Amino acid sequence: MKKFLALIVFVIAFQQLWAQSKEQRWALGFQIGKSAYNGDLGNNFFKFDNTQKSTQGISLATYISKSFDGVAHANYSTWAYTKDANNKFDGNFYSYGLQANYKFYNGKLLNENAIIKPYLLAGLGYMFAHSEHIKHTSAFGYELGYGIKFKLINHLHIQLQSVFGINRNDEIDEQFSKRSISNNTRGDWYALHTIGLVYSFNIHPKKDSDGDGIIDTKDKCPGTPIAIKVNATGCPSDVDGDGIPDFFDRCPTIVGTSDMKGCPDTDGDGIADNIDKCPTQKGTTDMYGCPDTDGDGIADNFDKCPTAKGTLEMSGCPLPDADGDGVLDENDKCPKEKGLAVLHGCPDADGDGIADNLDKCPKLKGLASNNGCPEIKVEDQKKLDVLIKNINFQSGSDILLASSYSSLNKAIEVLKANADYQLAIGGHTDNSGNAMKNLELSDKRANAVKAYLVKNGVEANRLNAVGYGDTVPLAPNTSAANKAKNRRVELKLKY
């Protein structure tokens, strides 16, 4: 326990972190992993065929430059290796180190804020160990290694690292190397392979005198009022880069000129595009930036006759009758179509005395009482009314029964004999069952009739099929007989 507390005190004393950048100068790391051994008994630095034990520790680093961080770490590990029954050891050791990390994310090889951040490390280490054979021992050495950090969020990284400790202590495994130079032995080396989390921060927040979110050391305009939006250098934002700050720029996203208060003047008429009604045509101030070619006081974009002087009443045209039908435009209900005075300037193509704009059958001579359409022949509609009872379907289905075909064929004869007829096909049900299902069934039945008629030579654009469900009953749904009446398909002729 005392040694573990010493481990923490060691790290805090050096005030080192895994540094992120100048703005996040410090970072604290926690890591866990495996320890490995390389000595007289063998080598399991990168193998798993002999015992590897756990390691855990903390690290603290500080930003030195774009290419280097200074690091201190402390780890507690268990260490073991087994060669055979007579050549094995198992113990505990503490490792401390001071390192310099060379960062590949230094702006030359990778961006400083890269998501993946590889680095190399080198430094001095100190190891304190005890095992079943050796009560306690310690040694100084060197540490080399490599690692990579993966950015999760702005301040947090996952870190993978391997540190290799090279020291002169050769007594931990109780085996002594035969190779020696002046009593110095090869030593029992160790490796720590870890994964951990690294959190970066700044111990002393930077001063921001004007409160614009840019620290004073980076703020090129430290006196900017707090209400004004600033850019990364702390100066008033200029989104379009035209040299006019956004707070003064009337067109902050479009490059403009100072005399136009930051707006462009595309046509060069001295009127800024944001108030110019004709920004691509040179105009005058009294025309709001638009031209008036004929000089009649009506801007070309409103002038129906821009090359001939006209009057405001005639929208800039010199003539009172634009379509030349003898009806002044102010009284002409169809000013762009040559028409008849009696019809207020509108045409009547079929000559039935009903203006085309009001005539629902503009190409067929009809009656005013029928909105300009001819009357449907009474006998034709009666033929279809008789057919209603003979249009039948399989129960609960939209499949026509064969008994319906002769009735529908008679309807086809009527439609083919009268090419101007349109047909409205209405599907209806009684109120038995679910209303939505009834509506769906009635629509399918109406369209089944339409499909039959089209299949037998009737143009689809003359047919309109709609299902009404149980919403339009012929009789109250109070008896079986009435419900039978309500289950029907109606055929209505129209123009």
Side-chain angles (χ1 to χ4, degrees):
M1 184 64 182
K2 289 182 179 179
K3 292 184 177 65
F4 186 72
L5 290 175
L7 178 151
I8 297 174
V9 172
F10 175 83
V11 175
I12 295 175
F14 280 93
Q15 293 287 297
Q16 305 287 340
L17 285 174
W18 283 111
Q20 186 73 20
S21 66
K22 271 189 178 180
E23 288 68 41
Q24 300 172 16
R25 300 188 69 89
W26 305 91
L28 180 63
F30 298 91
Q31 58 271 349
I32 60 173
K34 291 288 187 178
S35 64
Y37 158 84
N38 184 339
D40 301 303
L41 295 177
N43 176 11
N44 68 341
F45 269 12
F46 299 103
K47 297 178 182 178
F48 292 89
D49 53 349
N50 296 98
T51 307
Q52 287 196 351
K53 291 298 184 92
S54 66
T55 184
Q56 53 271 329
I58 58 176
S59 60
L60 214 58
T62 187
Y63 178 91
I64 297 175
S65 69
K66 285 187 176 182
S67 295
F68 291 96
D69 285 347
V71 183
H73 71 82
N75 294 276
Y76 166 71
S77 309
T78 52
W79 200 10
Y81 191 85
T82 301
K83 185 175 182 180
D84 51 47
N86 298 317
N87 292 279
K88 62 179 180 177
F89 79 95
D90 192 336
N92 303 309
F93 78 101
Y94 299 84
S95 60
Y96 310 91
L98 291 175
Q99 302 165 356
N101 285 8
Y102 175 74
K103 301 177 288 187
F104 291 100
Y105 49 98
N106 54 13
K108 297 177 182 178
L109 301 173
L110 293 172
N111 187 283
E112 193 172 4
N113 291 317
I115 295 176
I116 299 176
K117 302 180 176 182
Y119 59 90
L120 298 176
L121 63 89
L124 298 175
Y126 176 76
M127 182 199 70
F128 176 86
H130 64 85
S131 68
E132 58 184 311
H133 303 297
I134 305 299
K135 186 175 182 181
H136 63 81
T137 186
S138 61
F140 282 98
Y142 306 100
E143 291 185 333
L144 300 173
Y146 51 83
I148 187 168
K149 294 191 289 183
F150 300 90
K151 186 175 181 179
L152 297 178
I153 55 176
N154 189 35
H155 295 273
L156 191 64
H157 291 73
I158 288 178
Q159 174 189 289
L160 300 176
Q161 180 176 273
S162 291
V163 176
F164 301 91
I166 302 171
N167 62 71
R168 289 298 189 180
N169 191 311
D170 192 36
E171 62 182 1
I172 296 173
D173 57 9
E174 210 180 32
Q175 303 290 322
F176 295 94
S177 174
K178 295 179 180 180
R179 294 175 293 167
S180 64
I181 300 176
S182 301
N183 296 323
N184 289 327
T185 61
R186 176 184 179 277
D188 296 324
W189 297 354
Y190 61 89
L192 305 176
H193 305 294
T194 60
I195 182 173
L197 288 176
V198 176
Y199 177 75
S200 57
F201 59 92
N202 207 343
I203 292 178
H204 303 292
K206 300 298 182 179
K207 187 177 180 182
D208 178 15
S209 301
D210 53 14
D212 60 3
I214 310 298
I215 60 176
D216 289 354
T217 55
K218 287 194 170 185
D219 199 331
K220 294 183 179 180
C221 303
T224 306
I226 195 168
I228 295 176
K229 186 178 180 180
V230 299
N231 57 25
T233 65
C235 292
S237 177
D238 178 17
V239 172
D240 55 19
D242 59 5
I244 302 163
D246 291 348
F247 73 90
F248 183 73
D249 198 328
R250 290 185 179 178
C251 302
T253 60
I254 306 172
V255 175
T257 61
S258 58
D259 55 342
M260 292 289 109
K261 296 186 177 178
C263 292
D265 177 17
T266 303
D267 54 19
D269 59 4
I271 303 166
D273 288 358
N274 64 318
I275 58 174
D276 195 329
K277 300 293 184 184
C278 303
T280 60
Q281 297 174 284
K282 205 165 191 174
T284 61
T285 303
D286 55 345
M287 292 290 109
Y288 300 98
C290 292
D292 177 16
T293 303
D294 56 18
D296 60 4
I298 303 169
D300 288 357
N301 59 321
F302 293 110
D303 198 329
K304 291 183 178 179
C305 304
T307 60
K309 277 192 176 182
T311 64
L312 183 62
E313 291 76 16
M314 297 310 300
S315 300
C317 289
L319 299 175
D321 179 16
D323 55 16
D325 60 3
V327 182
L328 294 178
D329 287 353
E330 62 183 4
N331 300 318
D332 198 330
K333 291 186 177 179
C334 302
K336 295 182 180 180
E337 299 176 274
K338 200 166 189 174
L340 304 172
V342 69
L343 296 179
H344 305 287
C346 290
D348 178 17
D350 56 17
D352 59 4
I354 303 165
D356 290 353
N357 62 321
L358 301 174
D359 197 331
K360 290 190 176 179
C361 300
K363 295 182 180 180
L364 294 174
K365 189 174 282 191
L367 304 173
S369 60
N370 201 28
N371 297 314
C373 292
E375 286 189 344
I376 300 294
K377 296 175 186 177
V378 175
E379 60 271 22
D380 288 340
Q381 184 58 59
K382 282 185 176 179
K383 288 179 184 177
L384 300 191
D385 290 343
V386 171
L387 303 179
I388 294 175
K389 297 179 181 179
N390 298 319
I391 301 175
N392 299 301
F393 300 84
Q394 290 184 14
S395 178
S397 168
D398 61 342
I399 299 175
L400 280 164
L401 295 177
S403 60
S404 306
Y405 297 161
S406 62
S407 295
L408 293 176
N409 290 339
K410 291 178 182 178
I412 292 170
E413 291 174 5
V414 172
L415 291 169
K416 287 185 176 181
N418 298 272
D420 294 319
Y421 277 173
Q422 304 279 324
L423 183 65
I425 306 168
H428 302 270
T429 68
D430 60 26
N431 67 345
S432 299
N434 181 275
M436 289 303 296
K437 290 185 177 179
N438 287 341
L439 181 63
E440 182 181 353
L441 178 61
S442 67
D443 191 70
K444 288 182 177 180
R445 286 180 170 179
N447 277 282
V449 171
K450 177 180 177 180
Y452 183 86
L453 298 180
V454 171
K455 182 180 178 181
N456 288 277
V458 180
E459 297 87 342
N461 60 1
R462 297 173 62 194
L463 307 174
N464 181 37
V466 179
Y468 298 95
D470 59 9
T471 61
V472 189
L474 287 177
N477 287 289
T478 55
S479 66
N482 283 357
K483 289 186 176 185
K485 291 180 182 179
N486 292 332
R487 297 191 295 272
R488 68 199 187 279
V489 174
E490 294 183 347
L491 305 176
K492 297 292 183 183
L493 294 171
K494 61 178 184 176
Y495 284 100

